[in-house]
Amino acid sequence: MEYVLELAKKAAAEGEVPVGAAAVRTSDGLIAGTGRNTSENSRYPTGHAEITAINSAAEKLGGRRLHGCTLYVTLEPCAMCAGAIINARFDRLVFGAYDSRCGACGSVVDLFNAGLDCRTSVTGGILREECAAVMTEFFSSLRRKKGRYILTPITADDQIRRACAMSGIPAAEIGAYEKRDFIRRRSTPIGLMLTNSGGIKRMIIFNEYKNADIGEIASAVQADIYCSADGGGVADGILRTQNT
């Protein structure tokens, strides 16, 4: 559970709801598959930690049925993920915090005792307080920043690919910057902030958000607009940090 808790924290750092999961083969403790929430960045509604962990475990172990495995997850699975766990034939599910809004292991519904062909045993509440604390801090942070723009780092390859697709900027050009961030309003990415080694910031606002208040965004991310230009389908400006 400590391992999946770290995955959840990584998800939070990427602006995702902090949920982590791992599929473990019971016989030898092999971690066959891992996952963390990616729905916000991937824009896939199925981008839940459990789904990613299940798919990667099935690929690694060479079969769609994961007999002899336990799935560990920081949050009580939703109905979609509970169904996937049942279909994958896990021996056991272990989760941390309960989900009073969407939990499908007893909090809202209990798919594991609903008359389905299910042989998965369920244990909940393991490291419950620690898992719940990560969720609480994440949503508290969002509430504190409601209506404000924040930066989250672009680190993973899939995030860079998404940044390229949304901005039209080649990967090599994005990679040349020392620091790369998504600009987000709450959890939704609306643009990029690219910073070079000299501290000069380039702000790109994605086309669908081109009517956003550039001055408000610049203020929120502690930068002053230095000059601006048409970025070919996106609002593109060069910014300078306030302390330069």
Side-chain angles (χ1 to χ4, degrees):
M1 286 300 293
E2 290 89 351
Y3 179 79
V4 293
L5 192 54
E6 290 304 312
L7 292 176
K9 293 175 181 178
K10 288 182 180 179
E14 295 167 355
E16 300 283 351
V17 175
V19 180
V24 178
R25 189 164 62 189
T26 307
S27 61
D28 58 2
L30 172 72
I31 298 177
T34 64
R36 59 182 183 269
N37 274 15
T38 59
S39 293
E40 294 295 337
N41 285 300
S42 67
R43 294 189 174 182
Y44 293 149
T46 56
H48 288 198
E50 300 95 318
I51 300 298
T52 302
I54 290 169
N55 288 341
S56 60
E59 181 177 358
K60 185 165 187 174
L61 298 178
R64 67 181 180 87
R65 294 192 173 183
L66 299 174
H67 296 296
C69 291
T70 297
L71 185 72
Y72 295 88
V73 59
T74 55
L75 182 68
E76 180 182 1
C78 66
M80 174 183 71
C81 294
I85 293 164
I86 292 170
N87 286 335
R89 302 294 195 268
F90 277 92
D91 285 356
R92 188 183 181 206
L93 164 67
V94 178
F95 68 86
Y98 289 86
D99 186 350
S100 61
R101 294 177 65 249
C102 300
C105 304
S107 291
V108 179
V109 296
D110 187 356
L111 292 187
F112 294 89
N113 290 288
L116 303 174
D117 181 15
C118 174
R119 301 173 186 176
T120 304
S121 65
V122 179
T123 303
I126 306 302
L127 295 187
R128 176 179 181 174
E129 292 184 359
E130 292 88 341
C131 293
V134 174
M135 297 287 290
T136 299
E137 172 54 30
F138 176 78
F139 286 108
S140 294
S141 178
L142 284 186
R143 285 191 291 272
R144 289 194 298 268
K145 297 170 181 175
K146 184 177 181 180
R148 295 173 55 194
Y149 298 94
I150 61 172
L151 300 178
T152 59
I154 298 171
T155 54
D157 289 343
D158 59 334
Q159 291 178 312
I160 293 176
R161 287 193 295 271
R162 186 181 180 199
C164 295
M166 297 183 76
S167 67
I169 299 175
E173 185 176 343
I174 291 178
Y177 284 87
E178 185 172 276
K179 190 171 184 294
R180 303 168 295 274
D181 297 279
F182 277 118
I183 302 170
R184 296 178 183 271
R185 183 163 188 170
R186 302 191 71 180
S187 61
T188 302
I190 67 163
L192 304 177
M193 183 69 76
L194 306 174
T195 308
N196 68 17
S197 58
I200 303 299
K201 294 185 176 183
R202 179 185 181 190
M203 184 169 73
I204 295 95
I205 304 301
F206 302 142
N207 189 52
E208 60 190 295
Y209 302 103
K210 63 184 178 181
N211 294 323
D213 187 331
I214 303 299
E216 180 186 355
I217 299 172
S219 176
V221 298
Q222 297 184 333
D224 289 328
I225 297 177
Y226 178 57
C227 64
S228 61
D230 182 3
V234 295
D236 193 347
I238 307 300
L239 295 94
R240 195 172 270 167
T241 57
Q242 290 178 339
N243 58 4
T244 58

